[in-house]
Amino acid sequence: MKFVQERLGHGSMQITSDVYAHVSNKIAARSIDKFDEYMKEIE
């Protein structure tokens, strides 16, 4: 997150987090869904 903050020129990491945290949550949710699908296939 610090790297992104510096690259975008945000004054604080809080700004970066407020703007981009939803992206991380979507990626995490997709990863969990894919893992669940995989586990169903191998049962």
Side-chain angles (χ1 to χ4, degrees):
M1 190 73 77
K2 184 69 174 167
F3 174 78
V4 174
Q5 174 209 346
E6 290 174 356
R7 297 292 292 174
L8 295 174
H10 292 160
S12 72
M13 217 173 349
Q14 185 63 47
I15 293 169
T16 307
S17 178
D18 289 346
V19 173
Y20 294 102
H22 68 282
V23 175
S24 295
N25 293 337
K26 286 182 183 179
I27 292 169
R30 271 189 257 149
S31 296
I32 291 168
D33 290 343
K34 287 182 181 183
F35 180 75
D36 286 343
E37 288 175 25
Y38 172 75
M39 292 303 288
K40 286 177 186 175
E41 290 178 10
I42 63 169
E43 289 180 346

